[in-house]
């Protein structure tokens, strides 16, 4: 089957099995977690189905490739299920993938509910990698302090073992920096 520039309609549990090992550089998905949606004539999502799909994704991802798993939790009997964390730990502990990053998908127009807790306005975007990711093309944003001198300013560590360093008097703040790991987007019918 030819997969390049193709849209394949089917049951992901079955379709993923037709992909060759280590054939995908990126998998991006938002599964029907915690039965928060009903899909006509579809299988009810559960942890066994999740494990089946997760195993296939881990099999098809290339060394240096990433899986972006967008997921949240439902609230049952007054408690969040924490299914998202159970899934993340399965990817990491059972399948041996790295949890390279945890990003937040913030919903600009979340649905207000009436309950005794803060509104749920985000989903997790777990980024799992097989080894170190081969490619990183970050989104950059403008630095508010661009051009200012860095004396008496502390720089971030470049490696885990290095201590933060203080800038020299003649150093200047760069014009841009990597976007933080929280991304805000409109959802549903309000997307412009």
């Amino acid at each position: 089957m030819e997969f390049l520039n193709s849209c394949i309609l089917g049951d992901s549990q079955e379709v993923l099995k037709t992909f060759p090992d280590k054939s995908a550089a990126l998998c991006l998905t938002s599964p029907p977690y915690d039965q928060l949606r009903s899909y006509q004539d579809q299988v009810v999502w559960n942890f066994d189905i999740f494990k089946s799909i997760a195993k296939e994704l881990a099999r098809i991802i290339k060394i240096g490739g990433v899986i972006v798993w967008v997921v949240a939790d439902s609230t049952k009997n007054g408690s969040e299920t924490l299914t998202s964390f159970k899934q993340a730990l399965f990817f990491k502990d059972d399948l041996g993938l790295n949890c390279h990053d945890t990003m937040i998908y913030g919903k600009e127009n979340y649905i207000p509910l009436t309950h005794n807790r803060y509104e749920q306005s985000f989903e997790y975007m777990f980024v799992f990698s097989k080894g170190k990711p081969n490619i990183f093309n970050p989104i950059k944003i403008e630095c508010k302090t661009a051009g200012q001198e860095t004396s008496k300013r502390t720089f971030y560590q470049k490696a885990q073992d290095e201590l933060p360093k203080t800038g020299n008097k003649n150093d200047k703040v760069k014009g841009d920096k990597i976007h933080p790991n929280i991304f805000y987007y409109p959802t549903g019918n309000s997307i412009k």
Side-chain angles (χ1 to χ4, degrees):
M1 181 184 272
E2 179 62 39
F3 298 107
L4 186 62
N5 298 322
S6 299
C7 209
I8 303 162
L9 179 62
D11 181 340
S12 57
Q13 290 185 93
E14 299 306 317
V15 172
L16 285 171
K17 291 176 184 174
T18 67
F19 282 59
D21 291 357
K22 299 176 184 170
S23 60
L26 168 69
C27 296
L28 170 64
T29 184
S30 180
Y33 49 83
D34 272 357
Q35 301 172 5
L36 291 173
R37 307 272 184 279
S38 76
Y39 299 93
Q40 296 177 343
D41 301 324
Q42 299 297 318
V43 180
V44 174
W45 182 259
N46 61 42
F47 204 73
D48 288 330
I49 292 172
F50 154 74
K51 288 193 304 187
S52 168
I53 291 170
K55 287 175 185 175
E56 288 299 315
L57 289 174
R59 179 186 64 78
I60 68 168
I61 200 76
K62 293 178 178 183
I63 303 296
V66 296
I67 299 167
V68 182
W69 189 259
V70 183
V71 69
D73 302 298
S74 66
T75 301
K76 294 180 180 173
N77 300 320
S79 178
E80 290 188 16
T81 61
L82 300 183
T83 302
S84 59
F85 292 100
K86 293 174 191 170
Q87 292 175 358
L89 289 171
F90 183 82
F91 275 110
K92 186 176 183 308
D93 295 342
D94 292 54
L95 300 179
L97 299 177
N98 296 329
C99 186
H100 178 71
D101 201 353
T102 302
M103 298 185 293
I104 299 293
Y105 161 37
K107 299 175 184 180
E108 290 179 346
N109 54 322
Y110 57 87
I111 299 171
L113 302 171
T114 52
H115 47 216
N116 64 344
R117 47 181 275 181
Y118 292 104
E119 300 298 349
Q120 193 69 12
S121 65
F122 73 92
E123 295 179 18
Y124 295 102
M125 297 186 294
F126 293 107
V127 180
F128 301 104
S129 64
K130 189 179 277 187
K132 182 180 178 183
N134 288 334
I135 299 171
F136 180 58
N137 295 314
I139 295 170
K140 298 249 182 154
I141 59 173
E142 185 179 337
C143 233
K144 291 180 182 177
T145 57
Q148 293 181 13
E149 287 188 3
T150 59
S151 61
K152 300 183 182 178
R153 295 177 59 90
T154 302
F155 289 84
Y156 291 101
Q157 296 171 231
K158 291 191 175 184
Q160 286 181 316
D161 297 334
E162 293 181 16
L163 295 173
K165 297 176 183 170
T166 303
N168 297 321
K169 181 133 180 100
N170 297 327
D171 288 343
K172 303 277 185 194
V173 175
K174 292 182 182 178
D176 61 9
K177 61 184 177 181
I178 296 174
H179 192 290
N181 62 354
I182 300 176
F183 296 86
Y184 291 95
Y185 299 102
T187 60
N189 294 333
S190 65
I191 296 175
K192 295 175 185 174

